[in-house]
Amino acid sequence: MKRYDHRVPLAVLLLATGTAGVPLGGLARAADAAPEAPPVPAAPATPPFGPSNPFFAPSTLPFQAPPFDRIKDEDYLPAIEAGMASELAEMRAIADDPAPPTFANTFVAMESSGRLLARALSTFRAVTGANTDPVLQAADEKLAPELAAHEDAVYLNPKLFARVAAVYHKRRSLHLDPESLRLVEQTYLAFVHAGANLSPDDKVKLSKFNEEESKLSNTFETRLLAAAKDGAYRTNDKDSLAGLGQAQLAAAAEAAKGRDLTGYLIPLQNTTQQPVLASLTARATRETIFQNSWDRAEHGDANDTRDTIARLAQVRAQRAALLGFPNYAAWVLQDQMAKTPEAALKFMSDLVPLATAKALSEQQDLQAAVDAEHAGFALAAWDWEFYAAKVRQQKYDLDEAEIKPYFELGNVLENGVFYAAHELYGITFKERHDIPVYQPDVRVFEVTDVNGKPLALFYCDYFKRDNKNGGAWMDNLVGESKLLGTLPVIYNVANFQKPAAGEPALISFDDVTTMFHEFGHALHGMFADTVYPSLSGAQTPRDFVEFPSQFNEHWAIYPRVFEHYAHHYQTGAPMPAALVAKIKRAMNFGEGYGLTETLAAAELDMQWHTLAASAPLQNPDDFEKQALARVHIDLAAVPPRYRSSYFLHIWGNGYAAGYYAYLWTQMLDDDAFQWFDEHGGLTRANGERFRRMVLSRGNTQDLEKLYITWRGRAPTVAAMMKYRELKPAAGAAPR
Ligand SMILES: [Zn+2]
């Protein structure tokens, strides 16, 4: 289920571009891979900010690349703090301008501001995510509240908002070009979204709601952390763990020791299903571990989260009502592609019968495996992964050791990822060894456009390190903007196993897919062709941002691309056809389960967040049962990926009313790939059109309209049905 867990850490929020631009709340990091923060040491003394600081002036390197050879850890904090101060001064000057507000003296001025903050912060985010250390961690800890306060100081400045609103209200008579008009509308929306147009009394109410929400959210996280810890399975009986490999057993013994316990300890993961359930042969152990997971936060003790989430849902509904919306989801979705909760709910209800039919047919296969053993029970949720592993082995017999020699990382990058981009978009790549990097594993490529002009710099940092966050992501070091005269500088980060010195880096097909995925985000950034920095590149809503990346995954297995890169690293021989066929067949295995559990969680999220402010405090268990039954996604053997009481994404991690986006963007990527399929596949003409109409546009246009203009119609789930082999159960028609 890895594909749901990719993240794009654009959580630098609007401040990354140094402008009060579009609200990027929708781009928060996905939480599955978030590591626990190590202890933070005391902050070192901050040197004064001056010309000796490498961020003092724009970089003179090609593409304004950060001068990593001159930047010291101690340089970030003073540069970012000075950057906030100077941006605030710039914003104040705009707000206090005696001239009447115009598009140029308000919006263009805001877009041009905050350059120091932008260059220091984007570089800081890159190194704290991929190459951190105690000095950077201390700076991060100190800066988090300062950056939040800085954002408030911009959005809640009434004089600034008055100017923004004045231009907004006469925007139709200003004869602005479409991108400028979009900038006015998005900026105004961001201010309103933050509560800028409330009366002073209502602003006080809003900040009380915000404060309560933040406290409840913290309480939820604290309780959940403790609940998950207590939910670990502990035993002295090695037999109950039969089926685990030596490494898993050793890890379990180590985990027990870590808590000064004897025997074995299996900690809980965030999701409902637990990885060990795929291996454990003792059904009773599987059931116990599953129940520990399912009930982790519902024991009626100090770690029970149910009261907290019931109130959280209510506070959010009340806050949305204060801001003039029927419910919280309506407030969140106004700047998303789906626009309304109804659109997201309709999409999900189209998908439910298809996903559940597929899950039920998978369940039959698994039940057959149970019956073949004369085990004499009906498959339960805690049996699913165990029998799925067996059936996968029987049906596909995929051996990683057999596959990996065909996927040498450097070859996959240049003959796969870059090759597909060259065939589609005509761009070329040349490695540069003269651009300083923050760590020796990082490689830098200059990307040249089809017309021979420089297009972007691309950094890749693929190997796992202890001081790197988990998962994979993309972000900008420098954002593209015609207003500022900047070209994009982009990086991809992943966590692939680093080979021993002199050995080749052989990766799995999952890793290959991750490379294509992150490079899809990179293309979204590289092709950016916009005037205003806050509308540029991948800075799009959550239910759009994963579309270019997931779309790019399709080329990993596209025959002409695959044949170009999947060669044995020693012999150069192409992968045998039988092995390719196995990989392709295995790709959709478990799709029914994965879709159904994700849909169930997304339904819970959306139903919690479409409660009206007037709704009474809910009983979470009753609410959850009814919510799932109402939309017919209550399969006993396929529980939601997260239960309400431990759904960290929505109660703690900024994905409230946004979990559907994972599935929505899958609809888009399949639907888009189908267009390519129908128009000759991998051709320059198709790539050019996609680049011009989609990838280069950032957030400069209404995204639903942008998509429809390119596709010729609104997206539907038909392509998901085709590529994921989904069909409604016999006798049922899709709703
Ligand atoms: Zn992604």
Side-chain angles (χ1 to χ4, degrees):
M1 296 307 110
K2 187 175 67 73
R3 70 173 58 188
Y4 303 121
D5 301 336
H6 286 293
R7 64 213 179 91
V8 194
L10 291 167
V12 181
L13 296 176
L14 61 149
L15 299 165
T17 56
T19 73
V22 271
L24 293 176
L27 300 176
R29 300 175 190 215
D32 297 279
E36 283 179 41
V40 173
T46 303
F49 183 72
S52 66
N53 189 300
F55 293 108
F56 189 78
S59 164
T60 54
L61 291 171
F63 296 83
Q64 300 188 18
F68 284 115
D69 53 340
R70 294 195 292 122
I71 300 170
K72 297 184 299 298
D73 283 352
E74 289 74 16
D75 293 326
Y76 290 105
L77 184 64
I80 292 168
E81 287 179 338
M84 285 191 276
S86 84
E87 181 172 73
L88 215 51
E90 288 169 297
M91 291 291 179
R92 260 192 222 115
I94 297 168
D96 296 340
D97 189 344
T102 64
F103 177 74
N105 74 17
T106 306
F107 290 84
V108 177
M110 284 164 66
E111 289 288 306
S112 310
S113 73
R115 300 333 303 157
L116 167 60
L117 182 59
R119 61 181 174 261
L121 196 54
S122 55
T123 311
F124 180 65
R125 296 295 184 195
V127 293
T128 50
N131 203 42
T132 196
D133 62 37
V135 174
L136 296 173
Q137 284 163 348
D140 205 12
E141 185 87 350
K142 180 160 191 293
L143 285 168
E146 292 176 21
L147 287 163
H150 177 70
E151 195 177 317
D152 279 353
V154 172
Y155 278 121
L156 299 177
N157 179 334
K159 278 190 189 162
L160 189 60
F161 178 62
R163 294 180 75 86
V164 166
V167 176
Y168 172 80
H169 288 302
K170 60 179 183 194
R171 68 194 183 284
R172 298 277 171 213
S173 62
L174 296 176
H175 309 293
L176 296 170
D177 63 273
E179 189 183 330
S180 299
L181 186 63
R182 175 79 172 171
L183 179 70
V184 171
E185 289 171 348
Q186 291 290 298
T187 307
Y188 176 77
L189 195 62
F191 273 84
V192 171
H193 210 256
N197 65 350
L198 293 180
S199 70
D201 280 358
D202 282 350
K203 274 187 187 158
V204 173
K205 278 188 203 155
L206 180 69
S207 80
K208 282 195 177 138
F209 280 137
N210 287 346
E211 204 176 306
E212 186 179 358
E213 183 187 354
S214 146
K215 271 190 195 150
L216 287 165
S217 194
N218 281 336
T219 304
F220 172 82
E221 287 187 37
T222 309
R223 289 186 181 184
L224 180 58
L225 202 62
K229 191 176 178 208
D230 288 355
Y233 176 79
R234 189 196 159 206
T235 183
N236 284 316
D237 172 16
K238 197 175 170 184
D239 290 346
S240 74
L241 298 177
L244 294 191
Q246 279 310 315
Q248 284 172 302
L249 275 175
E254 199 57 39
K257 270 198 204 119
R259 293 197 204 169
D260 290 326
L261 298 168
T262 57
Y264 303 92
L265 188 92
I266 298 184
L268 281 184
Q269 309 281 321
N270 287 348
T271 48
T272 297
Q273 286 291 359
Q274 300 297 310
V276 290
L277 298 185
S279 321
L280 290 165
T281 55
R283 189 166 191 241
T285 312
R286 291 201 301 265
E287 181 173 0
T288 305
I289 291 177
F290 181 88
Q291 286 299 344
N292 285 1
S293 171
W294 187 244
D295 292 335
R296 70 182 79 177
E298 304 205 358
H299 293 304
D301 57 8
N303 299 336
D304 196 309
T305 60
R306 283 172 292 183
D307 291 352
T308 310
I309 63 173
R311 177 63 189 150
L312 251 175
Q314 197 174 46
V315 169
R316 287 174 176 174
Q318 289 168 347
R319 189 178 63 173
L322 181 70
L323 289 158
F325 290 86
N327 54 58
Y328 182 83
W331 175 73
V332 169
L333 267 70
Q334 62 168 338
D335 65 348
Q336 302 287 302
M337 180 178 171
K339 292 200 185 73
T340 63
E342 291 69 31
L345 286 163
K346 157 77 168 65
F347 157 67
M348 289 195 275
S349 65
D350 286 348
L351 208 49
V352 165
L354 304 169
T356 51
K358 179 95 173 167
L360 287 170
S361 91
E362 288 170 7
Q363 189 173 346
Q364 283 175 2
D365 286 351
L366 304 190
Q367 186 65 50
V370 174
D371 296 344
E373 294 177 352
H374 307 290
F377 58 80
L379 186 90
W382 46 90
D383 302 316
W384 193 289
E385 294 292 334
F386 183 74
Y387 285 94
K390 282 197 169 190
V391 171
R392 185 185 287 120
Q393 175 66 27
Q394 287 159 8
K395 264 195 170 169
Y396 307 112
D397 189 28
L398 267 181
D399 181 1
E400 285 284 304
E402 196 186 347
I403 294 171
K404 282 183 169 180
Y406 294 91
F407 300 139
E408 190 277 314
L409 189 144
N411 181 53
V412 172
L413 180 67
E414 301 202 36
N415 290 313
V417 174
F418 289 172
Y419 172 75
H422 176 263
E423 294 300 292
L424 282 166
Y425 311 112
I427 55 177
T428 51
F429 301 83
K430 191 170 189 302
E431 186 155 14
R432 289 191 68 151
H433 298 280
D434 58 330
I435 307 281
V437 292
Y438 55 81
Q439 209 278 341
D441 286 347
V442 180
R443 297 176 70 185
V444 183
F445 294 85
E446 179 167 344
V447 190
T448 303
D449 209 345
V450 63
N451 58 9
K453 287 189 180 160
L455 181 70
L457 270 191
F458 173 67
Y459 296 48
C460 49
D461 178 6
Y462 288 128
F463 294 127
K464 189 172 178 58
R465 279 191 296 276
D466 287 344
N467 65 345
K468 190 191 265 190
N469 283 345
W473 62 94
M474 163 272 183
D475 211 337
N476 279 64
L477 284 162
V478 179
E480 178 276 347
S481 160
K482 284 190 268 198
L483 177 70
L484 305 173
T486 49
L487 289 172
V489 178
I490 289 171
Y491 57 95
N492 277 176
V493 180
N495 273 278
F496 306 148
Q497 199 57 48
K498 188 174 179 175
E503 293 295 312
L506 304 181
I507 59 176
S508 66
F509 187 63
D510 244 15
D511 293 342
V512 171
T513 308
T514 298
M515 286 173 72
F516 276 87
H517 177 101
E518 298 308 333
F519 198 72
H521 287 304
L523 289 170
H524 201 191
M526 283 178 201
F527 289 145
D529 186 21
T530 65
V531 177
Y532 304 113
S534 71
L535 301 178
S536 175
Q539 300 178 95
T540 49
R542 189 162 42 200
D543 63 1
F544 190 84
V545 73
E546 293 299 324
F547 159 44
S549 52
Q550 290 174 178
F551 169 76
N552 204 53
E553 288 180 33
H554 286 269
W555 304 112
I557 196 74
Y558 189 79
R560 206 168 98 216
V561 177
F562 192 84
E563 284 157 18
H564 196 260
Y565 74 87
H567 291 262
H568 197 283
Y569 78 102
Q570 283 166 322
T571 65
M575 185 181 280
L579 194 51
V580 182
K582 267 193 206 173
I583 292 179
K584 284 190 179 172
R585 272 190 293 134
M587 280 177 79
N588 280 338
F589 184 82
E591 187 72 38
Y593 189 98
L595 265 182
T596 304
E597 67 161 0
T598 306
L599 258 177
E603 280 283 1
L604 289 177
D605 170 33
M606 200 49 84
Q607 295 198 37
W608 275 111
H609 291 111
T610 43
L611 284 169
S614 57
L617 211 57
Q618 303 293 309
N619 171 319
D621 293 323
D622 293 346
F623 180 87
E624 183 167 282
K625 270 201 200 97
Q626 287 160 12
L628 296 175
R630 188 178 305 130
V631 292
H632 312 289
I633 195 158
D634 49 350
L635 306 186
V638 190
R641 185 169 168 80
Y642 303 94
R643 197 180 192 185
S644 303
S645 56
Y646 54 84
F647 203 165
L648 182 63
H649 282 78
I650 66 166
W651 306 122
N653 272 340
Y655 258 72
Y659 201 71
Y660 77 95
Y662 287 107
L663 296 162
W664 180 275
T665 47
Q666 283 180 31
M667 164 176 72
L668 297 181
D669 80 70
D670 280 349
D671 190 58
F673 188 72
Q674 189 181 29
W675 183 92
F676 275 77
D677 240 1
E678 292 164 356
H679 291 81
L682 183 86
T683 70
R684 281 281 294 110
N686 287 346
E688 194 57 39
R689 186 172 180 274
F690 189 60
R691 170 180 173 175
R692 179 167 46 83
M693 298 177 79
V694 179
L695 292 179
S696 65
R697 303 310 308 272
N699 195 25
T700 59
Q701 231 183 307
D702 177 278
L703 292 165
E704 188 189 13
K705 278 197 197 125
L706 174 148
Y707 188 89
I708 292 173
T709 306
W710 170 73
R711 185 66 174 90
R713 59 160 174 75
T716 74
V717 297
M720 283 183 95
M721 293 174 66
K722 180 178 168 194
Y723 297 123
R724 293 163 203 262
E725 297 167 334
L726 308 174
K727 47 184 185 295
R735 282 170 295 175

